[in-house]
Amino acid sequence: MTDAKFVYSFGGGTADGKSEMKNLLGGKGANLAEMASLGIPVPAGFTLTTEVCTYYYDHDHTYPTTIDAEVDAAMAKVEEVMGTSFGDPNDPLLVSVRSGARSSMPGMMETVLNVGLCSATIPGLIAKTGNPRFVYDAYRRLIMMYSDVVMEKAAGVEPVEGQGIRQQLDRMLDDVKETNGYASDADISAEHLEDLANRFKAKVKEVLGKDFPDDPREQLWGGIGAVFSSWNGKRAISYRRIEAIPDDWGTAVNVQAMVFGNMGDDSATGVAFTRNPATGENLFYGEWLVNAQGEDVVAGTRTPNPLNEDTKNEQNEHLQSLQIAMPEVYEQLFGIRNQLEDHYADMQDIEFTIQDGRLWMLQTRVGKRTGTAALNMAMDMLSEGRIDKPTAILRVKPEQLDEMLHPIVDPAAEEAGELVAKGLPAGPGGARGQIVFSADDAVAWTKAGKTVLLVREETNPEDVEGMRAAVGILTGRGGMTSHAALVARGWGKCCIVGAGALEIDVLAKKIEVDGKVYTEGDVLTLNGTRGLVYAGELDMIDATENPRFVEFMALADDIRVLDVRTNADTPDDARTAIEFGAEGIGLFRTEHMFYGTGSEEPLFLLRKMIMSGSVSERRAALDELFPFVKRDMKATMEVMGERPVTIRLLDPPLHEFVPQSADERAKLASALDIDGSELDRRAEELHEMNPMMGHRGVRLGVTFPEISEMQIRAILEAAIELRQEGKMCFPEIMVPVTGMKAELDDQLEIAKTVHAEVCSKYGVDEVEHLYGTMIEIPRAALTADEIAESVQFFSFGTNDLTQMTFGFSRDDIGGFLSDYLDKKILPVDPFQVLDRNSVGVLVKTGIERGRSTRPNLKVGICGEHGGEPNSVEFCHLVGMNYVSCSPYRVPIARLAAAQAQINHPRS
Ligand code: ADP
Ligand code: MG
Ligand code: MG
């Protein structure tokens, strides 16, 4: 018992629904209703709501009891508007049965056209139209779609590969064309089509064991049921998973009077975008085919014609445009295009059909677009006065900016490309090159003028030079915050990690996957934005400089309240980040200077310090190291000028720096004046069972105060010298891996002493700086009120905090993450998107407790999440002062911060 309304009518200038009712009517149904109300010519029809779909699945594939009556009444309205009747032998109304979910799922669900054609109605339609060719063309299409969608897919028949009913019928159609020399579907004669339809029916019976239904009502309900069950078809389910569309939304079904683009040379069908979806250019852009129906335009059976003269391209310039072929209809269509843009204030993707010179609109929806197009359209529509600034800012997805900052793989080439494997999208953009399997080879091959991709099982700090040299990086293991991912993203370098299907053998220099082998020198192409690996060399598109980009980002900056800093360890990275709009450095990692180019000498001195046997030895080594550390910090601070620079004290466990090669060990032993076995013993002592939770971060500073002392001295002296040279700088000293206030007090004593010494050395009263800590251990977040008494700022290290909260190792999660995602145990990788329910609670608690004892506590984030839009929104919501992310993500974070402010204003 229910009095809910399950069926909504549209057509004849009015409609029960409107575009806001997408949840109930689906996108297609809601917009058909809206167009009908706007007075745009839309064939009359009705929509069975998504609630019917929900009911259908909740009630064992049955319908609400009132549905028959509602459908009959709605059909009667359609008949009245169209002047024909469904199933009438003399003047039959034909309908389409179309799916339509809330958000569009292109090509995922099913549509059946020409429903209502049967032995009783065929003669009447022939008599009425005088066009048997058209009628049999419509009939053979009905049989093809219906047998495929209703009798095979919806019935759960799983044909052998290549033996689906649709494919079998397609082959029969091709035979007819071949035997009779027909160039295209449109040339087939009425007789051949009639014969084909009869043979189709026999084939359907033979293959599926059932008669093709000859009753209009049976066809109609068969079609409706098939659309509902297509919601749970394999393709639709996997599409929903990729697009994160909930399974319980359901689809609506639209039943709509047919209009025919296949009635002859005054008839046509087409699709169009109100503006160019690839570039955003304000030109009406589309394709059409004369004497065709439905999907013909996109099916690729004939090369479609261009819509107008302005948008012809190489493929279609020899074909007649609609503008020339049917100028009046084109003018009307152009008028509707303008009307729709005025009404929706956004680019629309439309479908239309022309029947005997009369135009009908069949669909409109907000069109999908590239990042470049999204940005250009937003700025154009802003200057056209169609939208306001906040709307313009919301029109571009932050991730879409990526496209504008990196060269990308040509999407057309990707479609045709041979997919080798999937991994995690760790570094953006595209890259292609010859594969090599060691960092040294990457460097050597690059020096020799080759373009290479570095392939490793996983990377470690010793691979950094090779990673720099390679145009892209591919690993078999590791997650989104593994070494390779962090490094690549920091550089904005294309990188795919955790491509688990690849069996990488670096010694044999080969990859095996699916029985195929790729060896050193073979070419692969990576799409780092999507994590896809392709065989061979795919075309790339260059990310061109776009002046609109700067203008757009300035708008975003006006709106946002979150500051955006960068994670950078070198003057070069700092410069790049400033170009991308960074307002400071949120994370400068001291240890960076011990990796990569020019690191040889400081690394050697660091190792000497680590392997020292006594405090005095260690001090001597630190004194030697000091000038390098100071020089490095000074150079980066100089680039940043008046922008603050947060410098984190040494973080990794010391054993990471212990040399592995015999050669280097010998050199080190002699410098320390000890023998090899003593060195080995000292190295052994540094070994830890669980270094990530071992002797690292502040714990090193507690055990070896002289290490902290040296670093703090380097920071403060560098700062004074810059000031004395007349330059601005604002260093912030940051202590990592803190769990207790007492640790900070211990280090603060050192900082105070060093500060006093440095001031007297340079003859100044004070060196302006802040003292703060990372919050990356749950205990620190929970005792943030105590901790805040000792520091002026917090920076949430959400990589470690996520690791500690979930108990997932950052470096090993790649091995099982995909199982967790596939089984929906995790909705997303928590190292990519901050988990608001756990890590987020710790962050929020940490901020609240911290500010309870220090109200003006400055708070930021420096984990990888700082450049991920959803996480940036979270940082905005919990009242952080800034986010910090790798240089190439700075624009993404700026936009995400602006959108967060628009959606959740904060003063
Ligand atoms: P999709 O969502 O996959 O685009 P549609 O429901 O839009 O599926 O329909 C598929 C094709 O059939 C489209 O080209 C559409 O324009 C056409 N079509 C649908 N209904 C009708 C109709 N009533 N008259 C003429 N063509 C139609
Ligand atoms: Mg469509
Ligand atoms: Mg950390």
Side-chain angles (χ1 to χ4, degrees):
M1 250 266 326
T2 171
D3 50 8
K5 180 174 166 70
F6 289 115
V7 177
Y8 285 67
S9 293
F10 58 83
T14 61
D16 298 343
K18 55 183 183 207
S19 72
E20 285 76 26
M21 294 166 68
K22 291 197 179 64
N23 293 355
L24 188 64
L25 303 180
K28 201 179 285 166
N31 283 325
L32 283 168
E34 187 84 3
M35 284 200 290
S37 302
L38 288 170
I40 290 172
V42 171
F46 53 88
T47 305
L48 284 76
T49 67
T50 54
E51 284 172 0
V52 181
C53 187
T54 315
Y55 184 102
Y56 178 81
Y57 280 107
D58 287 349
H59 295 82
D60 204 17
H61 297 203
T62 59
Y63 300 104
T65 48
T66 53
I67 200 90
D68 274 321
E70 279 197 66
V71 166
D72 288 346
M75 188 67 96
K77 281 193 200 164
V78 176
E79 290 171 340
E80 197 187 313
V81 175
M82 302 306 286
T84 51
S85 298
F86 191 62
D88 180 345
N90 298 316
D91 193 2
L93 168 71
L94 303 189
V95 297
S96 63
V97 179
R98 318 173 65 185
S99 59
R102 276 193 215 182
S103 74
S104 83
M105 299 171 55
M108 289 302 126
M109 288 189 304
E110 311 297 352
T111 293
V112 185
L113 304 182
N114 307 325
V115 169
L117 267 184
C118 58
S119 44
T121 53
I122 286 174
L125 195 61
I126 294 178
K128 182 187 167 195
T129 59
N131 189 342
R133 203 214 88 86
F134 148 70
V135 176
Y136 285 112
D137 183 52
Y139 193 43
R140 66 95 187 163
R141 288 172 188 268
L142 169 65
I143 301 166
M144 290 177 98
M145 285 184 264
Y146 193 95
S147 60
D148 172 43
V149 171
V150 185
M151 300 175 73
E152 188 173 273
K153 289 207 184 89
V157 177
E158 295 214 12
V160 184
E161 179 74 29
Q163 294 302 319
I165 186 69
R166 175 95 205 202
Q167 288 154 308
Q168 300 204 39
L169 301 185
D170 266 331
R171 285 196 286 269
M172 291 168 68
L173 178 69
D174 287 342
D175 275 352
V176 172
K177 286 199 278 186
E178 211 162 291
T179 337
N180 300 284
Y182 292 126
S184 91
D185 297 2
D187 302 323
I188 309 175
S189 71
E191 292 70 29
H192 279 141
L193 285 167
E194 181 178 1
D195 174 56
L196 195 59
N198 288 327
R199 289 193 291 119
F200 273 4
K201 284 194 285 185
K203 190 77 183 174
V204 168
K205 175 89 198 241
E206 174 197 324
V207 174
L208 298 169
K210 277 190 197 141
D211 281 317
F212 179 77
D214 202 33
D215 171 56
R217 272 190 75 85
E218 188 185 343
Q219 290 175 1
L220 175 67
W221 283 99
I224 292 172
V227 171
F228 283 138
S229 65
S230 72
W231 176 254
N232 273 348
K234 270 194 210 129
R235 272 182 309 160
I237 290 175
S238 65
Y239 183 86
R240 285 204 293 277
R241 191 176 290 184
I242 294 166
E243 299 287 314
I245 296 173
D247 290 335
D248 58 9
W249 278 6
T251 182
V253 176
N254 302 289
V255 176
Q256 186 176 27
M258 284 299 302
V259 287
F260 302 103
N262 56 338
M263 276 189 135
D265 289 345
D266 286 334
S267 299
T269 186
V271 296
F273 293 91
T274 57
R275 299 183 189 211
N276 186 319
T279 64
E281 207 179 358
N282 186 2
L283 286 176
F284 192 24
Y285 179 93
E287 295 179 326
W288 67 289
L289 276 176
V290 73
N291 198 12
Q293 189 177 55
E295 311 280 51
D296 289 2
V297 175
V298 282
T301 43
R302 286 192 263 162
T303 306
N305 300 44
L307 200 58
N308 49 35
E309 295 300 297
D310 282 349
T311 60
K312 285 188 162 183
N313 61 34
E314 274 167 33
Q315 277 86 49
N316 63 22
E317 64 194 351
H318 60 289
L319 298 172
Q320 199 178 32
S321 69
L322 187 69
Q323 192 175 21
I324 301 293
M326 305 184 189
E328 279 166 27
V329 176
Y330 178 79
E331 274 316 304
Q332 191 194 352
L333 183 64
F334 191 74
I336 291 173
R337 173 251 190 185
N338 293 338
Q339 188 182 2
L340 289 174
E341 276 218 342
D342 286 344
H343 184 71
Y344 287 99
D346 201 352
M347 185 267 275
Q348 299 291 301
D349 168 356
I350 60 180
E351 291 173 3
F352 62 91
T353 281
I354 300 159
Q355 175 177 333
D356 275 335
R358 185 162 170 206
L359 176 66
W360 296 92
M361 299 303 295
L362 290 168
Q363 192 169 331
T364 188
R365 64 180 167 214
V366 172
K368 292 205 176 9
R369 60 202 74 183
T370 65
T372 308
L375 191 139
N376 286 336
M377 284 182 208
M379 295 309 283
D380 283 342
M381 291 196 180
L382 178 65
S383 63
E384 289 159 21
R386 285 180 198 278
I387 55 178
D388 59 8
K389 285 181 189 175
T391 307
I393 289 299
L394 292 174
R395 284 282 165 89
V396 182
K397 294 194 194 108
E399 299 88 343
Q400 287 185 312
L401 294 178
D402 240 9
E403 285 170 34
M404 277 158 268
L405 306 171
H406 302 277
I408 58 168
V409 184
D410 185 344
E414 258 189 285
E415 211 152 276
E418 181 195 337
L419 189 65
V420 174
K422 282 185 191 171
L424 299 172
R432 55 185 184 178
Q434 293 179 279
I435 53 175
V436 295
F437 293 84
S438 79
D440 289 345
D441 287 340
V443 174
W445 286 47
T446 304
K447 276 207 182 114
K450 294 180 181 160
T451 306
V452 302
L453 300 175
L454 175 61
V455 180
R456 301 287 291 163
E457 190 55 24
E458 58 193 338
T459 66
N460 62 50
E462 286 173 14
D463 293 327
V464 165
E465 278 310 286
M467 295 167 76
R468 247 305 173 205
V471 295
I473 299 151
L474 172 62
T475 76
R477 286 214 292 263
M480 288 299 282
T481 58
S482 64
H483 177 262
L486 287 181
V487 172
R489 203 151 43 238
W491 295 336
K493 180 163 293 201
C494 175
C495 175
I496 297 173
V497 298
L502 303 180
E503 281 177 43
I504 298 171
D505 185 339
V506 292
L507 296 177
K509 303 191 173 185
K510 61 170 189 173
I511 304 174
E512 276 191 55
V513 55
D514 282 343
K516 287 195 184 155
V517 179
Y518 299 90
T519 53
E520 185 178 60
D522 287 352
V523 174
L524 295 181
T525 299
L526 310 183
N527 178 339
T529 311
R530 293 171 62 204
L532 303 176
V533 183
Y534 295 94
E537 181 168 301
L538 268 49
D539 283 345
M540 308 276 285
I541 346 187
D542 225 78
T544 42
E545 262 292 302
N546 183 351
R548 311 302 285 285
F549 177 76
V550 179
E551 227 180 299
F552 178 80
M553 292 310 297
L555 283 183
D557 290 343
D558 279 349
I559 292 172
R560 71 188 158 90
V561 294
L562 262 186
D563 284 347
V564 177
R565 296 195 188 184
T566 190
N567 299 349
D569 316 302
T570 65
D572 274 350
D573 285 352
R575 265 185 287 267
T576 308
I578 290 174
E579 267 170 42
F580 285 135
E583 295 164 302
I585 288 181
L587 179 63
F588 172 99
R589 291 165 298 180
T590 320
E591 57 270 20
H592 181 85
M593 69 187 71
F594 306 117
Y595 302 128
T597 323
S599 67
E600 218 160 275
E601 205 174 347
L603 179 59
F604 183 75
L605 294 170
L606 178 77
R607 286 172 166 169
K608 221 171 128 184
M609 184 276 285
I610 291 170
M611 304 303 270
S612 297
S614 67
V615 177
S616 60
E617 252 177 54
R618 191 173 310 105
R619 276 199 185 281
L622 283 167
D623 285 346
E624 282 184 274
L625 188 54
F626 176 76
F628 292 94
V629 176
K630 177 166 138 189
R631 183 197 63 192
D632 230 68
M633 291 171 172
K634 190 171 166 185
T636 298
M637 278 199 268
E638 180 168 5
V639 171
M640 294 308 288
E642 74 277 11
R643 302 173 187 86
V645 178
T646 306
I647 298 172
R648 183 180 71 185
L649 303 183
L650 199 64
D651 181 68
L654 295 182
H655 85 100
E656 263 194 22
F657 299 102
V658 171
Q660 301 305 324
S661 76
D663 214 33
E664 302 204 31
R665 285 201 172 206
K667 228 169 78 191
L668 195 58
S670 99
L672 286 164
D673 211 10
I674 54 175
D675 61 17
S677 63
E678 170 62 9
L679 189 97
D680 291 348
R681 193 190 60 75
R682 292 185 189 177
E684 190 51 38
E685 243 175 51
L686 289 172
H687 179 78
E688 290 179 308
M689 293 307 288
N690 195 346
M692 266 298 181
M693 293 166 80
H695 201 187
R696 57 179 287 224
V698 67
R699 301 160 196 172
L700 292 172
V702 170
T703 310
F704 308 115
E706 54 280 7
I707 299 182
S708 298
E709 188 190 313
M710 181 277 284
Q711 297 179 79
I712 294 170
R713 190 182 309 280
I715 297 169
L716 297 180
E717 287 199 9
I720 295 202
E721 288 178 14
L722 283 171
R723 294 256 180 167
Q724 292 189 339
E725 290 162 22
K727 294 164 189 155
M728 283 307 246
C729 70
F730 291 101
E732 302 177 343
I733 299 169
M734 180 158 79
V735 180
V737 201
T738 311
M740 292 141 262
K741 171 178 161 37
E743 290 171 322
L744 287 164
D745 292 338
D746 178 84
Q747 300 292 295
L748 186 56
E749 276 316 303
I750 301 172
K752 279 185 181 156
T753 311
V754 173
H755 181 256
E757 286 168 12
V758 172
C759 286
S760 84
K761 173 173 171 190
Y762 285 84
V764 297
D765 293 338
E766 193 200 7
V767 194
E768 201 174 321
H769 72 278
L770 296 182
Y771 181 70
T773 184
M774 295 204 45
I775 304 286
E776 53 188 334
I777 289 186
R779 188 182 193 284
L782 297 172
T783 58
D785 45 347
E786 293 168 17
I787 286 182
E789 287 168 354
S790 302
V791 294
Q792 291 148 309
F793 69 90
F794 284 178
S795 177
F796 283 89
T798 48
N799 297 344
D800 269 311
L801 194 57
T802 300
Q803 170 166 273
M804 303 268 181
T805 303
F806 280 84
F808 286 149
S809 157
R810 291 154 67 169
D811 298 311
D812 302 316
I813 190 176
F816 55 88
L817 178 63
S818 58
D819 298 333
Y820 272 59
L821 296 176
D822 285 349
K823 293 192 171 176
K824 296 191 182 172
I825 291 172
L826 283 175
V828 288
D829 178 355
F831 288 100
Q832 276 185 63
V833 182
L834 187 141
D835 182 48
R836 296 189 186 195
N837 292 338
S838 63
V839 179
V841 175
L842 285 169
V843 170
K844 197 162 176 275
T845 307
I847 296 175
E848 280 163 12
R849 296 194 179 167
R851 288 196 175 137
S852 74
T853 53
R854 187 183 291 267
N856 64 349
L857 182 77
K858 191 150 111 182
V859 180
I861 184 174
C862 63
E864 280 300 297
H865 300 107
E868 190 282 315
N870 186 283
S871 312
V872 171
E873 181 188 73
F874 174 79
C875 295
H876 170 90
L877 289 171
V878 295
M880 285 195 191
N881 301 86
Y882 68 86
V883 296
S884 186
C885 56
S886 47
Y888 282 84
R889 290 196 150 196
V890 166
I892 295 170
R894 285 159 72 198
L895 178 55
Q899 294 185 347
Q901 172 67 7
I902 293 167
N903 293 327
H904 310 278
R906 177 184 129 182
S907 54

